[in-house]
Each structure stands twice: as structure tokens, then as C-alpha cells.
Amino acid sequence: DTEVTQTPKHLVMGMTNKKSLKCEQHMGHRAMYWYKQKAKKPPELMFVYSYEKLSINESVPSRFSPECPNSSLLNLHLHALQPEDSALYLCASSQAGWGQSNYGYTFGSGTRLTVV
Amino acid sequence: LAKTTQPISMDSYEGQEVNITCSHNNIATNDYITWYQQFPSQGPRFIIQGYKTKVTNEVASLFIPADRKSSTLSLPRVSLSDTAVYYCLVGDSTSGTYKYIFGTGTRLKVLA
């Protein structure tokens, strides 16, 4: 298995809803990442988990809450989002732990989130 | 602040070779240079990675000069399906935390 799987592919939620995005990889990768991408912009790093510990939080608002239940799974819990949070949310993983080396990331196909 | 600089966009015709250059003046000594391709509403896809000189795989070549302050992705004989955004990625440690930041990328449009 050489893929990063993200579910759901599409999500529409209201500003008072609570939802979660899920990411899974079975490549034995040691670091997992959440990125946010707005239209026609590059992906922006949100969170990094390395060896199941949160290593980087890029000053992301608390309405986004990451969780890494085990080495293969990464969740992003969403609560009280704003319309401007609508974006493509990408999960990625890398073989090396965070900051050890850039051996390349494997990205999932993303979750298209729309906040209404 | 992104540590890479690329042309915003490029046009090419089918069958031509395309070269996209990335400038990364502050690349770390132990960092690799990695290129990704992204189609609309999809995640970036790994194309090629290198440390120095030249690397070639089945889809592209990567040229890195001795000073490693730039790199050039070469796509031989492009087709319409190569229309995408191409990003180069290197490490960034200037903020005190080592991280990888995407630059603006290069939008390649292949014309028939």
C-alpha cells in the first residue's frame, strides 16, 4: 500500500457543526501532516505529527483540532468553522520523522470542505 | 515566507521539452530538492528528488548545479496531460523551526 487515504472527499458543514476529517497511511511513515489549500494558492502547513507527537502547530485557530490516535491514522476535528475556512484540506506523510530529512511526502487527494 | 522562487506561469506546445527553474538561495546543507505536480482538486504528486548534479527517472530530469542554489526540472516531450502546477520544495530553517514551505509554484499550460 503506497497511498494516503483521506475521507470524506467532500464535506459541507454549517458554522455550528462538528465534523472530522480522516487520514490513513499504511506505509510505516513516521510523520504526518495537515495542509490547507485555497484556490490558486500553494498548500499551507497547519500541523505536523512526528512519531505520533504533535511537533508543529502553525498558529492554527483552535477551531481546528488535530489528533493522531496511532502511527497510521491522523484526524482533524472541526468545530465552529467560518466560511473563510472553506478550502481543500490535504494530508501527507513522510518516511522520515519531522525535520530529519526531506525524503519527499506522499499526499492524499484531499477533502474539499465548504462551510456554509 | 517561502524560500523558493519560480516563474508564475509557462506555456508550451505538445512535444516540446519544458524546463522550469527554481531558485533556493538559502538551501540547507543536508536538504534535498523535491518537485511535485498538482492537478486541480488533487493532492500534489511526487515527481523527482535530488541532492546534487543530475537525477533522471521515467518522467523527468532534475539538474542541480554545484552551488545548489537553484534547480531545473526538465519535462521531455510534454503532452496536454502535463498541464498542471509544479512546485519545488526545500527546507526552511530561518524561523528557528525546520519546515518545508511550498512556494507559489509554476502553472504550466500545454497547448495543442
Side-chain angles (χ1 to χ4, degrees), chain A residues 37 40 98 102 105 112, chain B residues 36 38 41 49 98 100 107:
Chain A
Q37 187 174 28
K40 298 191 184 302
W98 174 252
N102 178 12
Y105 298 172
R112 173 70 62 188
Chain B
Y36 292 85
Q38 188 178 26
S41 296
Q49 183 180 68
Y98 198 67
Y100 304 111
R107 293 186 176 276

Side-chain angles (χ1 to χ4, degrees), chain A residues 33 35 37 39-45 55-56 58 88 90 98-110 112, chain B residues 30-34 36 38 40-46 49 87 89-91 97-105 107:
Chain A
Y33 312 80
Y35 281 84
Q37 187 174 28
K40 298 191 184 302
K41 297 291 187 182
E44 295 176 13
L45 183 64
S55 299
I56 298 284
E58 289 288 278
L88 181 68
L90 295 162
W98 174 252
Q100 291 180 352
S101 188
N102 178 12
Y103 287 137
Y105 298 172
T106 302
F107 280 86
S109 55
R112 173 70 62 188
Chain B
N30 61 346
D31 207 19
Y32 284 71
I33 300 152
T34 313
Y36 292 85
Q38 188 178 26
S41 296
Q42 294 186 26
R45 184 175 73 98
F46 176 91
Q49 183 180 68
Y87 295 100
L89 205 63
V90 299
T97 303
Y98 198 67
K99 62 181 73 171
Y100 304 111
I101 300 175
F102 282 81
T104 55
R107 293 186 176 276

Side-chain angles (χ1 to χ4, degrees), chain B residues 14-78:
Chain B
E14 280 190 292
Q16 289 188 332
E17 178 184 76
V18 171
N19 296 309
I20 306 173
T21 298
C22 179
S23 172
H24 30 78
N25 291 321
N26 296 318
I27 186 170
T29 303
N30 61 346
D31 207 19
Y32 284 71
I33 300 152
T34 313
W35 284 80
Y36 292 85
Q37 174 192 57
Q38 188 178 26
F39 298 112
S41 296
Q42 294 186 26
R45 184 175 73 98
F46 176 91
I47 301 174
I48 197 167
Q49 183 180 68
Y51 184 80
K52 61 180 178 181
T53 62
K54 177 183 175 182
V55 179
T56 297
N57 62 22
E58 61 275 9
V59 298
S61 294
L62 179 60
F63 299 92
I64 305 168
D67 66 6
R68 302 196 338 115
K69 292 184 184 297
S70 66
S71 59
T72 299
L73 174 72
S74 181
L75 304 172
R77 296 179 298 282
V78 293

Side-chain angles (χ1 to χ4, degrees), chain A residues 8-24:
Chain A
K9 293 195 183 304
H10 301 275
L11 178 63
V12 179
M13 60 184 291
M15 289 187 283
T16 59
N17 291 158
K18 286 185 180 181
K19 296 287 184 182
S20 296
L21 309 185
K22 181 179 174 181
C23 174
E24 201 164 357

